[in-house]
Amino acid sequence: DVKVTQSSRYLVKRTGEKVFLECVQDMDHENMFWYRQDPGLGLRLIYFSYDVKMKEKGDIPEGYSVSREKKERFSLILESASTNQTSMYLCASSLWDQPQHFGDGTRLSIL
Amino acid sequence: AQRVTQPEKLLSVFKGAPVELKCNYSYSGSPELFWYVQYSRQRLQLLLRHISRESIKGFTADLNKGETSFHLKKPFAQEEDSAMYYCALRGSSASKIIFGSGTRLSIRP
């Protein structure tokens, strides 16, 4: 069974901090994704990656960056956290043409 | 541009009644469509995809290219169907998947 693990279920940070959200998958998937999930807005794609060191912007990349140094790990970075980045963050992975598998999510609060 | 529209934020039906969750999409090529479900306190998971043409937990969805729709249907709702449902689209030339805003399905006893 595919396992997508997000390092934290809950995280509280302060405005202006640099925040790292980590995601690891154990099925050798090429594709990895970061979404944020907000009520009434659904899932919005922040960034995705289809290979090591490759990244593509999603629909709302502003204020975020990503890192994929190893195939199994995809990190989301908030360069300078702001209160409007308080949200649920979901990581997913997939093989090229297969459906995505999701992690449990990280609920991030920026104070 | 790719877009997925779920017009209903909330759908409430009685147990045993038919259910239809609407999904319309905008895409110029041949998309692949999915339905994902998130039960309370669980992770988001795949419910079904249009290319497999199967019924999962009594749910079916047919891709209608003429109407650009992929509505999710179940003839008799059960209480355990209460969840958040997301329609999603993948374009033919990219791995990125776009989601709709979701519909919360509530089944009343």
Side-chain angles (χ1 to χ4, degrees), chain A residues 35 37 97-98 100 102 104, chain B residues 36 38 43 86 90 97:
Chain A
Y35 294 88
Q37 183 182 31
D97 61 349
Q98 296 299 307
Q100 295 170 314
F102 283 85
D104 286 325
Chain B
Y36 282 80
Q38 189 169 30
R43 63 179 61 186
Y86 292 97
R90 177 164 60 204
I97 297 181

Side-chain angles (χ1 to χ4, degrees), chain B residues 62-94:
Chain B
D62 290 317
L63 180 60
N64 185 323
K65 291 186 178 180
E67 295 182 0
T68 59
S69 68
F70 188 57
H71 303 326
L72 184 68
K73 299 177 184 177
K74 184 169 182 175
F76 308 104
Q78 298 172 288
E79 286 187 66
E80 55 264 33
D81 295 329
S82 292
M84 194 74 179
Y85 291 79
Y86 292 97
C87 183
L89 174 152
R90 177 164 60 204
S92 57
S93 60

